[in-house]
């Protein structure tokens, strides 16, 4: 065994939220290949107690996915840089170009994710898709397919019966979206 850096094979049992086993020694590792200590929580936040996304934020924090610092700021709008960082930590990458400081809308997030899974051409078909959100009338025609596919894969749930397509995505909603991706059939397709 050598301590020199080199590429290693790892096996994933399900998703970054469960476990990844390093083939060479059988240890649990996170998305970055760093060993996961049992019950070690990398991020501890003082502002998530009683928040609707607390369980999801905690699950990710145990796997080393989160924001540096002692606050998560769950209801803060997420910018493109942080959005892409979180999705990258979950192994989701896209060719979609987002400006670093720009806020990410809920529709931007869906488009980015579907592009990373290769669904963008299908989502762009006109007159094929419908959604059942009460605020469908707010959707631009070019975005309907993206929202319908994301809803079909259970990536998005909406707020009750509405989606609020052009509202800014919050940090908590971004992590919930990451969780839904990992938990959905799109990551297994």
């Amino acid at each position: 065994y050598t301590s020199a850096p080199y590429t290693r094979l790892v096996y994933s049992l399900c998703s970054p939220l469960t476990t990844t086993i390093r083939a060479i020694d059988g240890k649990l590792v996170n998305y970055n290949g760093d060993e996961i200590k049992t019950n070690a929580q990398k991020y501890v936040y003082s502002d998530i107690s009683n928040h609707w996304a607390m369980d999801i934020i905690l699950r990710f924090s145990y796997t080393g996915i989160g924001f540096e610092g002692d606050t998560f700021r769950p209801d803060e709008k997420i910018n493109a840089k942080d959005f892409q960082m979180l999705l990258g930590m979950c192994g989701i990458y896209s060719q979609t170009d987002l400006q670093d400081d720009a806020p990410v809308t809920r529709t931007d997030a869906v488009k980015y994710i579907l592009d990373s899974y290769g669904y963008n051409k299908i989502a762009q078909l006109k007159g094929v898709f419908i959604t059942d959100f009460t605020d469908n009338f707010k959707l631009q025609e070019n975005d309907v397919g993206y929202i319908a596919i994301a809803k079909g894969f259970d990536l998005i749930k909406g707020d009750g019966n509405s989606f609020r397509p052009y509202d800014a995505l919050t940090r908590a909603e971004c992590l919930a979206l990451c969780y839904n991706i990992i938990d959905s059939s799109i990551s297994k397709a």
Side-chain angles (χ1 to χ4, degrees):
Y1 182 76
T2 177
S3 62
Y6 60 97
T7 304
R8 294 186 179 162
L9 177 65
V10 296
Y11 298 97
S12 178
L13 298 178
C14 184
S15 73
L17 291 182
T18 55
T19 51
T20 302
I21 302 169
R22 189 169 41 217
I24 197 156
D25 60 11
K27 298 204 179 201
L28 300 178
V29 294
N30 66 11
Y31 70 94
N32 222 11
D34 299 326
E35 184 178 343
I36 297 172
K37 304 287 186 215
T38 306
N39 296 327
Q41 185 176 359
K42 179 169 182 178
Y43 301 106
V44 179
Y45 302 113
S46 62
D47 61 344
I48 61 170
S49 180
N50 298 319
H51 193 274
W52 65 265
M54 182 179 80
D55 289 341
I56 293 170
I57 294 167
L58 288 173
R59 284 181 185 211
F60 276 99
S61 72
Y62 276 99
T63 62
I65 296 173
F67 296 108
E68 295 295 331
D70 63 352
T71 59
F72 187 84
R73 302 185 310 276
D75 296 320
E76 183 177 297
K77 295 174 184 171
I78 193 164
N79 64 31
K81 180 181 176 184
D82 289 341
F83 172 77
Q84 290 174 310
M85 185 242 349
L86 276 181
L87 266 65
M89 289 175 143
C90 295
I92 302 164
Y93 303 95
S94 172
Q95 297 301 315
T96 303
D97 188 28
L98 300 172
Q99 296 178 339
D100 280 355
D101 294 329
V104 176
T105 68
R106 295 162 67 94
T107 299
D108 290 337
V110 166
K111 287 176 143 181
Y112 184 94
I113 289 158
L114 291 180
D115 176 57
S116 75
Y117 284 98
Y119 285 96
N120 53 332
K121 290 197 187 296
I122 295 168
Q124 293 169 9
L125 295 171
K126 304 281 188 281
V128 176
F129 299 102
I130 58 170
T131 67
D132 60 356
F133 290 118
T134 57
D135 53 359
N136 280 339
F137 64 93
K138 294 180 181 178
L139 281 173
Q140 296 174 10
E141 183 182 11
N142 292 340
D143 296 336
V144 173
Y146 289 96
I147 304 309
I149 291 171
K151 181 140 176 33
F153 276 118
D154 255 353
L155 303 183
I156 56 175
K157 313 283 189 220
D159 292 338
N161 295 325
S162 66
F163 178 61
R164 299 182 293 116
Y166 304 107
D167 285 6
L169 188 72
T170 67
R171 292 162 70 114
E173 290 170 336
C174 180
L175 218 51
L177 184 57
C178 289
Y179 182 81
N180 291 344
I181 292 164
I182 292 166
D183 193 46
S184 78
S185 57
I186 195 170
S187 64
K188 298 165 184 79

